[in-house]
Each structure stands twice: as structure tokens, then as C-alpha cells.
Amino acid sequence: MATYEFTVTVKTQYLPEQSAPDQGRHVFSYTIRVVNTGTAGAQLISRHWVITDANNKVEEVRGLGAVGHQPLLQPGEQFEYTSGTMLGTPEGSMHGEYFCVAEDGHQFEAPIPEFVLSVPRTLH
């Protein structure tokens, strides 16, 4: 029996050169790795993000694919991309899911675990 699973991992980075903290602009990049850890080939069709800043302002983003791609991943294959977001606060978080369709037509969701976006702190 086929299993349907994509495993998602995330790395984040603060982008000070694109940020303007005095204007409430904090820019972050995140690199996502999606690995087909199931036994069936499947395609990433669309995404849903929930982005929350430190003031609990929530923004939801939905769209086709990821950075313009809808990769078809066979078992063991991976897709990696880097994207970004801007927050009005120095901290926030993101989570969501990818909607996927296996080659046999089975539909499933691949959860994107919550990750923190945070401006690095410096000690003086």
C-alpha cells in the first residue's frame, strides 16, 4: 500500500540590508526543503501560509506551487527553494501546508511546521 508523505524543513535568515527597523520593516528569508518521504510519486500543487507578527497580526497567503514551481517528486527526491517575507515587528512566526496530489490521484497535505522569524540580538 502506498504512503503519501512530504517532509518539510526550514532555515531562516534575517536580512538587515533590506530591513528598515525604524520604519517597521523587518525582512527575512527562509529556505524550504521538501522531501518525498512516502512511497508514491506526488506533485506539490499549492501552498497556504499563516504569517503572524509579534502583535498577533495574521496574514494568510495562498497560491499555486512554490516560487512558481509545482515539482513532481518521486520517493526520496527533494525540492529546495528560498523565499522571503516582511514583518512589521522584529519577531514573528510562519506555518502552513502544501497541498499535493500523488500520481495515483490521492490528495494529501504536507504540513509546514511552525518556525520563528527573529532579528538577531546583539549584546553590548
Side-chain angles (χ1 to χ4, degrees), residues 39-121:
T39 61
Q43 186 172 18
L44 188 161
I45 300 298
S46 65
R47 68 193 183 283
H48 172 226
W49 285 107
V50 179
I51 306 164
T52 307
D53 73 9
N55 296 326
N56 285 321
K57 178 180 166 244
V58 176
E59 179 185 359
E60 291 197 50
V61 178
R62 297 176 191 273
L64 289 176
V67 293
H69 298 278
Q70 292 181 313
L72 173 61
L73 301 176
Q74 296 302 322
E77 290 184 339
Q78 67 180 26
F79 173 68
E80 185 173 292
Y81 71 93
T82 299
S83 190
T85 193
M86 185 183 74
L87 297 177
T89 60
E91 285 94 28
S93 66
M94 292 177 65
H95 71 276
E97 58 269 337
Y98 295 115
F99 298 96
C100 308
V101 177
E103 290 177 319
D104 64 8
H106 180 84
Q107 298 179 19
F108 65 101
E109 292 182 8
I112 305 165
E114 185 170 31
F115 57 94
V116 173
L117 302 166
S118 180
V119 173
R121 300 291 182 212

Side-chain angles (χ1 to χ4, degrees), residues 11-56:
K11 288 187 223 159
T12 64
Q13 184 175 359
Y14 177 62
L15 302 177
E17 66 281 358
Q18 295 181 30
S19 299
D22 55 333
Q23 297 168 20
R25 178 182 165 96
H26 306 275
V27 180
F28 299 87
S29 70
Y30 51 89
T31 300
I32 305 277
R33 177 178 290 153
V34 180
V35 180
N36 184 342
T37 49
T39 61
Q43 186 172 18
L44 188 161
I45 300 298
S46 65
R47 68 193 183 283
H48 172 226
W49 285 107
V50 179
I51 306 164
T52 307
D53 73 9
N55 296 326
N56 285 321

